[in-house]
Amino acid sequence: MHLILFGPPGSGKGTQADKLVSRYGLAHISTGDLFRSEIRQKTEFGNKAMEYISRGELVPDALTIEMLRARVAALSDVRGFIYDGFPRTLAQAKALDEMLAVKGDAIHLLLALDVPEDEIVRRILHRGLSSGRPDDTDEAIIRNRITVYHQETSVLFDHYAVHGVAHRVNGLGSIDEIFDRLCRHLDPLF
Ligand code: ADP
């Protein structure tokens, strides 16, 4: 089972991914979390990624894809994966598709959380009060992340919609309401 949880920054992907993991027993792969872990450990990889993250830009594809590959390879023997925050560019999507195709696999489902921009900015600023993430406290950096999302990432919906696996889900409401909406797409697949 390969599921992409899609949507702009601050749309609730991480929160929902945690709940989906407990319900369906999938492995959660968040490239943002992986980068933050590298940054905390002060690896060379983390230092490079931090330059981009602190400006609200995307980390270059080569670095991101390498990290993703290593993480997937380390998690053998799982029921499936939830990709959160990956892919974010067409090159990343192609790399992921190829990685899966080698094993005769493909993305089964992409669920896109739909949340209006003002609500996203509000949520991220709120998260910034306690997350300790410097990229969550500066509105200009947050707006830049949203612009990058529109320029580079949002087109990926169509990349997967062509295969009939992409669906939009209303991302407004309580955490449980949104979770129920996601489960309605996932339950039939389990
Ligand atoms: P958010 O969903 O709030 O943007 P993430 O934790 O997913 O938070 O990402 C934080 C930052 O990490 C992004 O703004 C970006 O700089 C970097 N990042 C995460 N995933 C990717 C990716 N797939 N490709 C490039 N950069 C990424």
Side-chain angles (χ1 to χ4, degrees), residues 71-135:
R71 185 65 185 149
V72 170
L75 288 170
S76 55
D77 216 25
V78 292
R79 215 176 161 197
F81 293 92
I82 301 179
Y83 304 95
D84 157 10
F86 184 94
R88 262 173 149 103
T89 64
L90 202 52
Q92 291 179 16
K94 287 181 176 163
L96 178 61
D97 293 347
E98 274 166 29
M99 215 171 89
L100 296 177
V102 167
K103 298 190 170 177
D105 236 325
I107 292 297
H108 299 104
L109 193 62
L110 177 149
L111 296 176
L113 289 168
D114 242 345
V115 183
E117 177 159 339
D118 284 349
E119 170 67 9
I120 285 168
V121 174
R122 201 187 62 76
R123 285 186 191 178
I124 297 179
L125 285 169
H126 185 258
R127 179 172 74 187
L129 297 175
S130 57
S131 69
R133 283 178 52 175
D135 60 335

Side-chain angles (χ1 to χ4, degrees), residues 7-11 13 30-33 35-36 49 52-54 56-61 64 84-89 92 124 127 133 135-136 145:
S11 56
K13 300 186 295 290
S30 155
T31 40
D33 287 349
F35 284 131
R36 282 185 288 278
Y52 299 92
I53 294 176
S54 63
E57 294 168 11
L58 293 183
V59 178
D61 286 332
T64 306
D84 157 10
F86 184 94
R88 262 173 149 103
T89 64
Q92 291 179 16
I124 297 179
R127 179 172 74 187
R133 283 178 52 175
D135 60 335
D136 279 353
R145 282 154 63 195

Side-chain angles (χ1 to χ4, degrees), residues 11-45:
S11 56
K13 300 186 295 290
T15 306
Q16 295 297 333
D18 287 343
K19 290 174 71 73
L20 293 167
V21 163
S22 11
R23 180 165 171 131
Y24 300 103
L26 302 166
H28 178 199
I29 298 194
S30 155
T31 40
D33 287 349
L34 292 173
F35 284 131
R36 282 185 288 278
S37 159
E38 296 283 336
I39 290 169
R40 272 196 304 276
Q41 295 170 55
K42 299 197 187 319
T43 63
E44 198 183 322
F45 210 78

